[in-house]
Amino acid sequence: MSDTRRRVKVYTLNEDRQWDDRGTGHVSSTFVERLKGISLLVRAESDGSLLLESKISPNTAYQKQQDTLIVWSEAENYDLALSFQEKAGCDEIWEKICQVQGKDPALEITQDPIDESEEERFEEMPETSHLVELPPCELARLEEIADLVTSVLSSPIRREKLALALMSEGYMKKLLQLFQVCEDLDNREGLHHLYEIVRGVLFLNKAALFEVMFSDDCIMDVVGCLEYDPALVQPKRHREFLTKTAKFKEVIPITDSELRQKIHQTYRVQYIQDIILPTPSVFEENFLSTLTSFIFFNKVEIVSMLQEDEKFLTEVFAQLTDEATEDGKRRELVNFFKEFCAFSQTLQPQNRDAFFKTLANLGILPALEIVMGMDDLQVRAAATDIFSYLVEFSPSMVREFVMQEPQQTDDDVLLINVVIKQMICDSDPELGGAVQLMGLLRTLIDPENMLTPTNKTEKTEFLSFFYKYCMQVLTAPLLANTVDEKNTDNICIVCMDNFQTAQLLALILELLTFCVEHHTYHIKTYIMNKDLLRRILVLMNSKHTFLALCALRFMRRIIGQKDEYYNRYIIKGNLFEPVINTLLDNGTRYNLLNSAIIELFEFIKVEDVKSLIAHIIDNYYKALESIEYVQTFKGLKGRYEQEKDRQTLRLNRSVLLYPSRYRRDARTLDEDEEMWFHEDEDDDEGEAVEKSRPEEEFPESYGKYMEAKKVKESDDKENFPTQTPTGSFKFTFSHSAGAANGANGKPAASHAASASPNAISSFYLSICSKKPHLPATPVTAMVGLVDYPDDEDEEEEDEEQSPRKRPRLGS
């Protein structure tokens, strides 16, 4: 069996009755063992992957349309189409389908899907003629013809036979000639019958009939028939609109007559589908699928023909960018490109790629810079739509263009800055255009679509470009509308707090919040250099709650990064103050603002952000402790106390294990010995401590330690170790770490103890190495200076039972 290959596009019909392109490949008909039959296979021309594998079922209805299309349904709501590049390839595959089904290749439909009961009735019918016998095409028989057309719509078999009959001997053209006669005679009854006939013929869903009805010499008569709906008192004037009101504007004269005819036909057929025909019922939904396909493939042809006419597009771009072009002419050119780009969405991906690359090479982006800066609102709106098509298709193409601009233009006219300014200056009270442009900007700065294998540096380069040339333009309205100074009431000022300005600032904040989440380094640097968070938090005083929530969400996203650089910035600037003021001003109102602020502090508590917890408790707990309808702030206080206890315990252990780490230099050695070997029960247990780290990281804690040590030095001189006649030292201890504490947390009475060789700490060994006159045999009865596991459990229990008073945590 021959394995014939032809280049095709594969389409599927989606839920909106629009054809989706599934790719381009080569089709073959071959026997597939798994499917147990002859099947259609389409393999992608790019990588050879299988785009389609469909068994030619004996009961499936295949339709051949426009000489290069084969359409069929494989399931109730799953329609497929193969669009062939060559008519010969379509004919060959069609013959193979007809051969499998035992049909005549001269037919344009192999069979219609019919239900089981209808199939049984059809089998019981006697052999009849292949065609339905139509009444003579006369005025007196119009009612009979209308009844016949209406009656067959419920039967797929009869619809097919009627369609074949209507195509024979030019029957449709004769019917349309009767329309002119009826209109001349003002025969309303005949015109109403013709409406039913033409509407029914459209519902036959037959491409061959559409070719006749939508030809130049017939389409206006079809529109005329559809004007005379029997349900209307007066007929609609659709022909008058199409011929007089709707004007076809050629921005550049189109010399190709076939292209002109195709454009006119597509517009009129689209008008019939969208305006004239009533919305189909549930039962009529599939009756116009072929009409949708007819329009779809017409648009594909129009775009392809325009794209291939290089002279035409070159002339369009030349006039669009020419400064001498009148505003009205430029407006028409922009609208043409808007419709051109809309039609391009029907192209398959490979052709659409070539289409937009052609536009880019011809200079569509520099042209958009010009038209987006015009005062004409319609022109700006059309240019925005074109820009959205380009961004949606290839953000990288747009980014590549804008990064080349600074070499040849000023910052003020950069394309992205033009877009930002148009967003800022949107005159629409609802900011519809600004919302659209904000979405396009977010697409352009989204790192997720910058990870292209061909240009791995795109993310770094473009974000550096954006923050250098564009970020100050984006944040300008934000900085202009927030004043860092305070008024007499000690409340930061929001300059313009009208609704439209609030909406604009909310859009900008939404974009900045997106940057915090996705840009990390660049936005962090910008926020800290500009002290941006402080200015944004001024908006917490806005009378518009949605804007205050946007400012709060920006801060929440920053804290959500759990970045200590951000945390230190917030602490240093006391940036919780406006948030807490807003919470207190909100009072007992249980609203979204209240919940959002509580959630912010709850996040800090749950994630145990230690530096922020310490800052909040140290500075704001007195103002927050009265809030008891949630346990958030008490929970923060509990976290704070736990961390202080944990740090104290950790420092005590570290000092006992590694006391030399807390010594500044060799001159303090004797003092350290005296401090740690001669402290008694009067020691202050509540020293302020930090985490167990070297002294240079904790100068405040270390200073407190040294001050306490010097005080003890004068009180405990009598307890200093004294040298015995044999050269030994005698040590006195108040208690060992943890083991000598009583149940109430107070130290037990001091006692002397001797240490065994195994109980000598590393600190003691360091002393021996520096004092050669120390005894060879250590003093006995010393208490061990190291903590053992048994002692550790008792320490933790004592700490939980008797929390000690400690000064605030440092940041």
Side-chain angles (χ1 to χ4, degrees):
M1 182 174 295
S2 62
D3 183 11
T4 321
R5 295 182 178 275
R6 291 291 183 268
R7 192 167 185 266
V8 294
K9 308 171 193 173
V10 180
Y11 293 93
T12 59
L13 196 65
N14 61 28
E15 295 179 354
D16 298 326
R17 310 306 297 170
Q18 299 294 324
W19 287 101
D20 291 335
D21 181 14
R22 297 303 183 189
T24 301
H26 293 84
V27 63
S28 63
S29 59
T30 185
F31 183 83
V32 177
E33 180 66 29
R34 183 175 60 83
L35 300 177
K36 305 296 182 184
I38 303 296
S39 303
L40 297 177
L41 303 180
V42 179
R43 294 194 177 276
E45 63 180 0
S46 58
D47 56 6
S49 61
L50 194 62
L51 297 178
L52 175 68
E53 184 181 58
S54 174
K55 179 182 177 181
I56 302 176
S57 172
N59 300 319
T60 299
Y62 292 86
Q63 292 185 41
K64 183 182 176 186
Q65 302 175 9
Q66 302 181 17
D67 293 333
T68 57
L69 282 173
I70 296 178
V71 182
W72 73 98
S73 299
E74 289 204 347
E76 183 176 350
N77 291 313
Y78 187 65
D79 293 354
L80 291 164
L82 293 179
S83 176
F84 289 78
Q85 182 174 336
E86 301 175 10
K87 180 179 182 297
C90 182
D91 291 341
E92 191 163 350
I93 295 298
W94 181 252
E95 289 178 5
K96 179 61 64 177
I97 293 171
C98 293
Q99 178 184 346
V100 172
Q101 293 197 339
K103 303 293 182 179
D104 183 0
L107 297 176
E108 291 189 348
I109 184 169
T110 58
Q111 58 187 304
D112 273 319
I114 55 178
D115 58 32
E116 190 173 329
S117 58
E118 185 175 358
E119 187 173 11
E120 291 174 358
R121 291 197 306 271
F122 180 69
E123 290 175 352
E124 293 173 359
M125 291 172 60
E127 288 293 330
T128 57
S129 170
H130 181 65
L131 300 178
V132 172
E133 187 173 349
L134 289 167
C137 193
E138 301 171 356
L139 283 176
R141 310 295 291 272
L142 283 177
E143 182 177 3
E144 185 179 348
I145 298 170
D147 291 342
L148 175 62
V149 172
T150 305
S151 66
V152 304
L153 294 179
S154 60
S155 169
I157 292 293
R158 296 185 67 195
R159 285 207 313 269
E160 172 62 20
K161 290 188 174 184
L162 176 61
L164 294 174
L166 289 171
M167 285 186 292
S168 64
E169 300 179 1
Y171 197 90
M172 275 306 303
K173 289 189 175 183
K174 293 177 183 178
L175 274 174
L176 295 174
Q177 289 172 358
L178 287 180
F179 165 73
Q180 297 175 3
V181 174
C182 286
E183 196 165 42
D184 290 340
L185 296 175
D186 197 19
N187 182 351
R188 289 301 178 94
E189 183 180 359
L191 291 171
H192 290 164
H193 291 320
L194 282 168
Y195 170 86
E196 298 291 348
I197 293 169
V198 171
R199 181 175 178 274
V201 171
L202 289 174
F203 281 162
L204 293 178
N205 212 23
K206 189 68 176 176
L209 284 173
F210 292 163
E211 293 287 352
V212 175
M213 297 171 70
F214 299 149
S215 61
D216 284 348
D217 53 347
C218 293
I219 189 168
M220 296 310 293
D221 290 335
V222 170
V223 173
C225 291
L226 294 173
E227 289 179 352
Y228 291 93
D229 186 348
L232 301 175
V233 177
Q234 292 295 329
K236 297 287 186 180
R237 297 186 176 183
H238 297 300
R239 284 172 294 171
E240 181 179 343
F241 175 83
L242 289 172
T243 55
K244 297 180 180 179
T245 306
K247 298 294 183 181
F248 175 63
K249 295 181 180 180
E250 295 182 74
V251 291
I252 301 294
I254 298 176
T255 57
D256 189 336
S257 59
E258 183 183 356
L259 175 59
R260 287 171 56 90
Q261 185 274 333
K262 188 70 70 176
I263 292 172
H264 285 301
Q265 182 189 60
T266 304
Y267 176 78
R268 292 165 179 168
V269 176
Q270 188 86 60
Y271 184 87
I272 290 173
Q273 184 187 46
D274 295 343
I275 306 299
I276 300 178
L277 289 177
T279 304
S281 66
V282 176
F283 302 102
E284 299 170 337
E285 218 172 85
N286 295 325
F287 286 176
L288 296 176
S289 61
T290 304
L291 183 62
T292 302
S293 302
F294 185 91
I295 296 170
F296 174 84
F297 290 111
N298 263 18
K299 290 180 178 179
V300 171
E301 289 186 47
I302 291 170
V303 175
S304 299
M305 293 169 74
L306 282 172
Q307 186 179 349
E308 292 168 2
D309 191 344
E310 295 182 0
K311 182 179 179 182
F312 175 83
L313 286 180
T314 303
E315 181 64 23
V316 171
F317 272 99
Q319 292 196 25
L320 186 63
T321 55
D322 189 353
E323 294 182 359
T325 303
E326 297 179 357
D327 290 345
K329 181 70 171 180
R330 186 175 280 113
R331 186 183 306 119
E332 293 178 359
L333 290 166
V334 172
N335 287 327
F336 162 77
F337 267 114
K338 174 185 173 181
E339 193 166 358
F340 194 24
C341 290
F343 273 33
S344 72
Q345 302 305 297
T346 61
L347 296 173
Q348 60 178 333
Q350 296 90 338
N351 291 345
R352 191 159 63 244
D353 188 9
F355 168 79
F356 281 111
K357 285 182 178 177
T358 300
L359 293 186
N361 293 335
L362 290 171
I364 185 65
L365 289 168
L368 283 178
E369 282 184 335
I370 297 174
V371 295
M372 290 185 80
M374 294 176 63
D375 295 332
D376 192 317
L377 293 177
Q378 292 183 352
V379 170
R380 290 213 307 263
T384 300
D385 290 337
I386 297 171
F387 185 66
S388 67
Y389 284 122
L390 295 172
V391 172
E392 181 182 354
F393 169 71
S394 177
S396 293
M397 180 179 72
V398 178
R399 286 191 287 260
E400 182 180 359
F401 169 77
V402 298
M403 282 191 290
Q404 297 170 353
E405 288 186 285
Q407 304 171 4
Q408 49 190 328
T409 186
D410 297 330
D411 292 357
D412 291 341
V413 293
L414 293 176
L415 178 59
I416 291 190
N417 285 346
V418 171
V419 172
I420 294 173
K421 289 177 182 177
Q422 183 171 337
M423 181 184 83
I424 294 171
C425 301
D426 188 4
S427 58
D428 179 9
E430 299 298 327
L431 296 185
V435 172
Q436 181 184 8
L437 290 169
M438 191 272 290
L440 297 177
L441 284 173
R442 183 162 57 185
T443 300
L444 287 174
I445 64 176
D446 187 355
E448 294 298 322
N449 58 47
M450 296 182 190
L451 304 177
T452 53
T454 55
N455 185 7
K456 295 181 179 179
T457 62
E458 180 183 16
K459 178 178 178 180
T460 302
E461 292 179 356
F462 181 77
L463 289 182
S464 298
F465 164 87
F466 180 80
Y467 280 87
K468 180 178 180 181
Y469 295 102
C470 308
M471 183 57 92
Q472 68 270 18
V473 181
L474 178 65
T475 56
L478 190 64
L479 299 177
N481 285 282
T482 55
V483 178
D484 205 18
E485 300 175 356
K486 297 187 176 182
N487 62 12
T488 55
D489 296 328
N490 202 35
I491 299 175
C492 295
I493 302 172
V494 183
C495 294
M496 295 182 62
D497 205 17
N498 58 67
F499 180 72
Q500 189 167 358
T501 302
Q503 279 190 305
L504 175 62
L505 297 182
L507 284 178
I508 295 172
L509 282 176
E510 184 177 344
L511 203 57
L512 292 175
T513 303
F514 176 85
C515 293
V516 168
E517 187 172 4
H518 293 86
H519 291 175
T520 59
Y521 166 74
H522 291 87
I523 187 66
K524 185 194 305 181
T525 304
Y526 190 83
I527 288 172
M528 294 184 179
N529 288 343
K530 300 291 184 181
D531 198 12
L532 190 62
L533 180 57
R534 179 185 302 279
R535 302 296 289 273
I536 288 174
L537 289 176
V538 171
L539 299 175
M540 295 292 292
N541 298 309
S542 172
K543 65 184 179 183
H544 300 286
T545 306
F546 71 87
L547 182 57
L549 285 167
C550 287
L552 182 66
R553 182 163 57 246
F554 180 76
M555 185 176 186
R556 169 66 174 81
R557 194 62 55 87
I558 286 177
I559 293 174
Q561 301 301 303
K562 295 189 283 190
D563 187 322
E564 279 303 312
Y565 287 99
Y566 275 134
N567 294 343
R568 285 198 291 271
Y569 164 66
I570 292 171
I571 292 169
K572 184 177 180 181
N574 287 323
L575 297 181
F576 278 107
E577 182 178 347
V579 177
I580 292 174
N581 286 339
T582 302
L583 175 65
L584 299 176
D585 292 342
N586 193 59
T588 58
R589 287 190 291 272
Y590 181 59
N591 53 18
L592 184 57
L593 183 61
N594 174 273
S595 298
I597 295 175
I598 295 296
E599 192 278 334
L600 173 68
F601 290 103
E602 186 69 23
F603 175 82
I604 295 172
K605 184 192 78 173
V606 171
E607 295 296 327
D608 196 15
V609 186
K610 295 178 175 55
S611 57
L612 296 183
I613 291 174
H615 174 70
I616 293 166
I617 298 302
D618 282 340
N619 293 277
Y620 307 110
Y621 187 68
K622 288 184 179 179
L624 298 172
E625 62 181 345
S626 61
I627 299 177
E628 297 182 347
Y629 55 85
V630 290
Q631 298 302 307
T632 300
F633 300 108
K634 289 187 177 180
L636 286 172
K637 179 69 171 178
R639 292 272 191 183
Y640 174 81
E641 295 293 348
Q642 289 174 11
E643 180 62 19
K644 288 184 67 176
D645 291 345
R646 193 179 300 118
Q647 290 183 2
T648 300
L649 181 61
R650 189 182 300 120
L651 183 60
N652 287 341
R653 291 178 181 171
S654 299
V655 169
L656 290 173
L657 287 170
Y658 305 104
S660 60
R661 295 177 62 189
Y662 292 85
R663 188 175 302 111
R664 290 179 180 270
D665 50 45
R667 290 176 297 178
T668 64
L669 179 61
D670 293 337
E671 296 176 350
D672 289 344
E673 293 173 10
E674 296 163 3
M675 177 65 187
W676 292 105
F677 285 87
H678 298 279
E679 64 179 0
D680 59 16
E681 65 271 24
D682 296 327
D683 286 349
D684 183 5
E685 297 173 4
E687 295 291 341
V689 292
E690 290 290 349
K691 293 183 180 180
S692 176
R693 288 187 289 181
E695 60 186 75
E696 58 271 15
E697 299 182 23
F698 298 94
E700 182 179 355
S701 299
Y702 189 80
K704 292 180 180 180
Y705 157 70
M706 292 301 296
E707 291 174 5
K709 185 177 70 65
K710 290 177 180 179
V711 172
K712 294 294 296 176
E713 181 180 353
S714 61
D715 295 338
D716 297 339
K717 283 187 176 181
E718 64 277 11
N719 294 327
F720 280 8
T722 55
Q723 190 169 7
T724 64
T726 59
S728 300
F729 281 89
K730 183 178 181 181
F731 296 89
T732 304
F733 297 89
S734 60
H735 57 84
S736 63
N741 285 345
N744 59 359
K746 294 182 179 180
S750 60
H751 59 276
S754 61
S756 65
N758 294 331
I760 302 301
S761 67
S762 58
F763 180 53
Y764 172 72
L765 293 177
S766 67
I767 295 175
C768 294
S769 65
K770 296 183 180 181
K771 295 186 180 291
H773 58 276
L774 289 176
T777 334
V779 178
T780 58
M782 281 184 61
V783 176
L785 300 181
V786 295
D787 290 336
Y788 293 98
D790 293 339
D791 295 331
E792 184 176 344
D793 295 338
E794 296 179 18
E795 286 179 11
E796 293 178 356
E797 291 176 2
D798 292 339
E799 291 292 338
E800 292 176 358
Q801 293 172 2
S802 180
R804 302 172 182 175
K805 180 180 178 182
R806 308 189 193 315
R808 73 167 86 165
L809 286 171
S811 57

